[in-house]
Amino acid sequence: MAGHSNQARAALTRERVVRSAAAEFAEHGYDGTSLSRVCKAAGVTMGALTFHYPSKASLAQAVCAAGIEATRAVVEEADRRGLTPLQSVGGMVGAIAALLSDDCVARAAARLSRERPALRADWRAGWLPLVRARFRQAEVLDQLRPGTRPESAALLVGSLVAGVEAGLLPRPRRATLPPPTAQEHLDELWQTALQGIGTLHGRADTS
């Protein structure tokens, strides 16, 4: 019984450390993240942190793994709700944007995989293969405009998500309105892109 209790406490500690580290990585990046700040936020000693994660790299890899898994879960759920391949892609785009807005673990995984290739943890691997598969399906169903290649369409979606995640998109200058969220950015961009890559038939059920 004591063994199970110790395992449960260890699992809770690891989860707390990962979430605290994710908040640091998401805001400051790999190089700017302080393990002492992670310890303080998680309420653990440096010894406890390094017991579970011996290095900053191993901690970053754990954050990436958690972020990739969380992203895969919401993308697969969105895909199941799609009535057409392009509707599935639209749902996945919205789900990714919402997750980036709400979940520091996903944001950290996206930033770390972009900024730190040496970690060999590709956040896009949690969702881009499924996007590619749906575009190939759309092509078979004649739901892509002639001349639009599924791989190019998937690359476009990947670029849109990367732009929003990295904060590269300009914000409107209307001071009276709140800035758009990541999800609003991607929804608008996806609808604009859809006018160019989808046939009328393919777009019909994507709203």
Side-chain angles (χ1 to χ4, degrees):
M1 186 70 68
H4 289 301
S5 178
N6 289 338
Q7 290 176 359
R9 281 199 299 271
L12 288 174
T13 298
R14 286 193 297 271
E15 182 180 354
R16 196 163 65 247
V17 167
V18 165
R19 291 207 66 85
S20 297
E24 276 284 315
F25 285 129
E27 183 172 355
H28 302 291
Y30 185 88
D31 291 333
T33 287
S34 162
L35 292 184
S36 62
R37 288 199 303 265
V38 173
C39 289
K40 183 177 180 180
V44 300
T45 64
M46 185 65 73
L49 185 150
T50 55
F51 174 80
H52 294 288
Y53 304 104
S55 65
K56 185 192 282 192
S58 64
L59 179 57
Q61 286 169 335
V63 169
C64 285
I68 290 169
E69 183 56 36
T71 306
R72 181 180 290 114
V74 299
V75 162
E76 289 177 352
E77 174 62 27
D79 180 54
R80 284 193 289 270
R81 294 196 297 265
L83 300 179
T84 70
L86 293 184
Q87 188 181 47
S88 290
V89 173
M92 286 187 270
V93 166
I96 292 168
L99 189 66
L100 287 173
S101 295
D102 299 338
D103 186 7
C104 66
V105 179
R107 288 197 305 276
R111 179 169 183 172
L112 287 169
S113 64
R114 169 168 52 85
E115 295 182 349
R116 198 79 177 180
L119 293 173
R120 297 185 179 180
D122 185 1
W123 173 70
R124 301 197 312 169
W127 56 272
L128 193 53
L130 187 54
V131 168
R132 289 194 185 103
R134 291 297 167 259
F135 277 128
R136 287 194 292 267
Q137 188 179 18
E139 182 183 42
V140 170
L141 296 172
D142 293 325
Q143 292 181 358
L144 297 182
R145 286 185 182 275
T148 298
R149 296 191 304 113
E151 188 63 32
S152 297
L155 180 61
L156 173 63
V157 169
S159 298
L160 294 178
V161 172
V164 170
E165 179 270 319
L168 297 180
L169 297 179
R171 291 183 174 183
R173 297 183 180 274
R174 295 168 292 176
T176 57
L177 296 177
T181 65
Q183 186 169 5
E184 289 169 340
H185 263 316
L186 275 185
D187 284 346
E188 180 180 353
L189 290 169
W190 170 244
Q191 291 304 318
T192 300
L194 201 57
Q195 304 305 311
I197 64 175
T199 64
L200 182 62
H201 172 65
R203 296 196 306 267
D205 296 324
T206 59
S207 60

